[in-house]
Amino acid sequence: MFTIPLPIVSMIKERIDVMKKKPFHFLWIGQSFANFGDVFYIVSVVSCLYHLASKAMAAALVPFFVTLSLFISGIVAPIFFEKYKLKTLLSYGQLCKTFLLLFLSLFLQWGAEHHIAIVYVFVSLIAFLDGINNPIKNSLVPFIVSKEEILKANSFLNTLDQFIKLSAWPIGSLIVSAGSPFLLIHITLLFYIVSSILMFLLPIQEHTKKNTVQDKGLKNFLLSIRLGWEYTWRNVHAKSISFMSFFEGIGNGVWISAILYMYVKEQLHVGEEWWGYINSVFFGGMVIGGLLSVKFSQSVEKNQQFFVLFGPFCIAIVTLLFGTTTHGALALLYSALYGIIEQWKLICLQTILQKNARMDALPHVFAVQGVISSVTFGISTLLMSFIADVYGIRFSFYLSVCCFLISGWISYRRRKIWSYKENQKGEITGTIL
């Protein structure tokens, strides 16, 4: 049921040299089980809540609490990074998610109909742990592969992540409709258990953690939180990427469900199923972009300045075309192109950040990126929905285009730091946490 398509398997065998490394095996397999489980558990919980409350709002509150918890954990994550090792946080974090899901499944079966609010507590706690684990996943790549293999490893991991997002939702929905939400939760528990075991077995040699914050109490708390923002502000690459991410995050608001649903109904004048087609084609485009990055990793890396510099401008053009067309086939084409270009740009930016930030600072920097992502998601959801309701759907896309153009302008101003030669000079310094 969960078999990866043959073209992806073939490319893995032919192109992914980093796969031969044992730590990378544990990382990508363990995270694949965790990512499948994350989608399955959301599908099952949303289904349970809808049946218990018989209201769409009950299910709609799940992404709200997930986003809020990711935002909070992104802020406080540096406190944990300063105190514990990466592997310790990742493995025990996944184990805690497993126990939380077990307790949630028992609660859903035995008493949730009278205390639905407690379900949101479990959802928030699981999302909080994700907000701590996500920066660690992105930070581990430079620890377990050589500098020359970072982009290839990122390409493979991002492609796998997008493939899981593309396939897990329909698979989870099929299991719920054919069986029950509780069957899907039990499958998720199994996936979480496997992921936890693999994270504990992840062979990374870590030095003793040196706490750089010596103060105690509230001052220690605030200093730990401030570290990630200081690292980001002092590093020209992280700083530039953060500003780009902020504007692009707002621009990406046109791709939320509410906007696309309105776009399909009012502009394309097609059936509701086209909302699903557009989403699927977008993720399919990201998978294609990732596969191409894997196959031509050396070429992509040597031309990373081109992808980062012109990526936002290309996305602005594609978004404008998508937002103004009235033909469904063209909308699907533009959606796929958007996914391909976005994937190339993201892989290049992620690789540049990993190569130009100190290893001990990487989790902090990626935590800041997570906070920016959560904030912009909230802002863009409200802003784009308001503009679409008041001024029409096309004005939302015009605003999105402006946001991508601003990101492109920021990228152009910093064009020298995206150079392949410049990034080859930079060294990944720091000790393993």
Side-chain angles (χ1 to χ4, degrees):
M1 186 187 300
F2 307 107
T3 304
I4 299 177
L6 288 177
I8 299 181
V9 174
S10 176
M11 186 166 294
I12 289 172
K13 292 180 179 178
E14 294 176 3
R15 299 287 176 177
I16 303 293
D17 296 330
V18 292
M19 288 282 295
K20 298 176 183 178
K21 297 190 176 184
K22 189 177 181 180
F24 193 72
H25 267 298
F26 281 96
L27 180 64
W28 80 264
I29 296 175
Q31 290 309 309
S32 295
F33 276 102
N35 291 340
F36 262 116
D38 289 341
V39 176
F40 286 170
Y41 124 79
I42 290 294
V43 172
S44 58
V45 168
V46 167
S47 177
C48 285
L49 285 173
Y50 184 78
H51 285 92
L52 288 172
S54 299
K55 294 181 180 179
M57 179 59 70
L61 284 174
V62 171
F64 169 77
F65 282 106
V66 168
T67 304
L68 179 62
S69 297
L70 288 173
F71 170 72
I72 295 173
S73 61
I75 292 177
V76 302
I79 299 172
F80 298 93
F81 298 152
E82 284 298 300
K83 191 172 182 180
Y84 302 103
K85 300 176 183 178
L86 292 182
K87 179 183 173 180
T88 300
L89 288 171
L90 188 61
S91 54
Y92 280 98
Q94 188 61 45
L95 183 63
C96 288
K97 284 176 60 178
T98 304
F99 280 109
L100 283 172
L101 184 62
L102 174 62
F103 296 144
L104 174 59
S105 66
L106 296 174
F107 179 74
L108 285 171
Q109 293 181 70
W110 292 340
E113 64 273 8
H114 303 299
H115 305 282
I116 291 180
I118 298 179
V119 176
Y120 298 117
V121 175
F122 280 107
V123 169
S124 299
L125 290 174
I126 292 175
F128 182 86
L129 293 173
D130 278 330
I132 296 174
N133 283 354
N134 290 338
I136 298 175
K137 299 172 189 176
N138 293 324
S139 304
L140 283 179
V141 173
F143 287 107
I144 59 182
V145 303
S146 65
K147 188 175 182 180
E148 293 73 22
E149 295 173 320
I150 290 178
L151 185 135
K152 186 182 290 188
N154 285 331
S155 300
F156 172 71
L157 292 173
N158 285 10
T159 302
L160 195 60
D161 184 50
Q162 297 305 327
F163 169 74
I164 290 172
K165 289 180 179 178
L166 181 64
S167 59
W169 285 99
I171 291 174
S173 301
L174 182 63
I175 295 174
V176 168
S177 60
S180 71
F182 299 109
L183 173 61
L184 189 58
I185 289 180
H186 294 153
I187 294 174
T188 305
L189 276 171
L190 178 61
F191 279 21
Y192 274 7
I193 291 171
V194 173
S195 178
S196 299
I197 293 172
L198 290 172
M199 291 304 97
F200 275 102
L201 295 175
L202 188 64
I204 294 182
Q205 298 296 324
E206 303 185 66
H207 298 308
T208 302
K209 184 72 185 83
K210 295 180 179 180
N211 196 333
T212 57
V213 180
Q214 301 299 327
D215 301 286
K216 297 181 179 180
L218 179 60
K219 191 174 182 180
N220 173 52
F221 180 85
L222 296 176
L223 285 175
S224 297
I225 292 176
R226 199 177 70 187
L227 279 176
W229 298 93
E230 288 183 348
Y231 287 144
T232 300
W233 189 259
R234 292 174 182 174
N235 185 290
V236 64
H237 297 87
K239 183 178 178 180
S240 302
I241 291 173
S242 296
F243 279 113
M244 291 174 64
S245 297
F246 177 80
F247 287 103
E248 291 184 10
I250 296 178
N252 284 328
V254 293
W255 295 91
I256 63 174
S257 301
I259 299 296
L260 283 182
Y261 184 84
M262 185 184 298
Y263 169 81
V264 165
K265 298 289 289 184
E266 297 184 4
Q267 186 158 316
L268 296 185
H269 302 291
V270 292
E272 297 178 5
E273 67 275 7
W274 277 77
W275 171 77
Y277 297 159
I278 291 173
N279 272 317
S280 298
V281 169
F282 168 75
F283 284 115
M286 296 201 78
V287 171
I288 293 172
L291 289 174
L292 291 173
S293 294
V294 171
K295 186 175 181 64
F296 304 106
S297 58
Q298 292 184 350
S299 178
V300 171
E301 186 163 20
K302 289 181 179 179
N303 293 281
Q304 63 187 18
Q305 186 180 34
F306 173 83
F307 291 113
V308 175
L309 191 58
F310 293 100
F313 294 110
C314 291
I315 291 175
I317 294 172
V318 172
T319 301
L320 180 62
L321 294 172
F322 179 87
T324 54
T325 188
T326 56
H327 300 285
L330 287 177
L332 293 179
L333 174 62
Y334 298 143
S335 181
L337 286 175
Y338 182 100
I340 293 172
I341 299 169
E342 178 73 3
Q343 183 74 302
W344 285 340
K345 179 178 64 66
L346 286 176
I347 289 172
C348 289
L349 286 175
Q350 187 176 1
T351 302
I352 289 171
L353 189 56
Q354 289 168 337
K355 286 187 174 182
N356 291 277
R358 294 199 338 254
M359 278 190 173
D360 59 325
L362 274 176
H364 298 268
V365 173
F366 279 116
V368 170
Q369 298 296 313
V371 172
I372 294 174
S373 176
S374 300
V375 170
T376 54
F377 176 80
I379 294 174
S380 63
T381 298
L382 296 175
L383 181 61
M384 294 300 181
S385 299
F386 172 78
I387 291 177
D389 288 336
V390 177
Y391 300 104
I393 190 68
R394 288 198 177 187
F395 279 91
S396 294
F397 286 96
Y398 294 153
L399 176 59
S400 175
V401 170
C402 291
C403 290
F404 286 119
L405 290 176
I406 294 174
S407 174
W409 174 74
I410 295 172
S411 179
Y412 177 78
R413 287 195 62 189
R414 296 292 188 180
R415 57 190 178 278
K416 292 183 179 180
I417 69 174
W418 313 128
S419 168
Y420 171 71
K421 293 182 179 180
E422 288 295 322
N423 286 285
Q424 287 301 100
K425 294 177 185 178
E427 295 184 0
I428 304 174
T429 59
T431 58
I432 299 179
L433 297 178

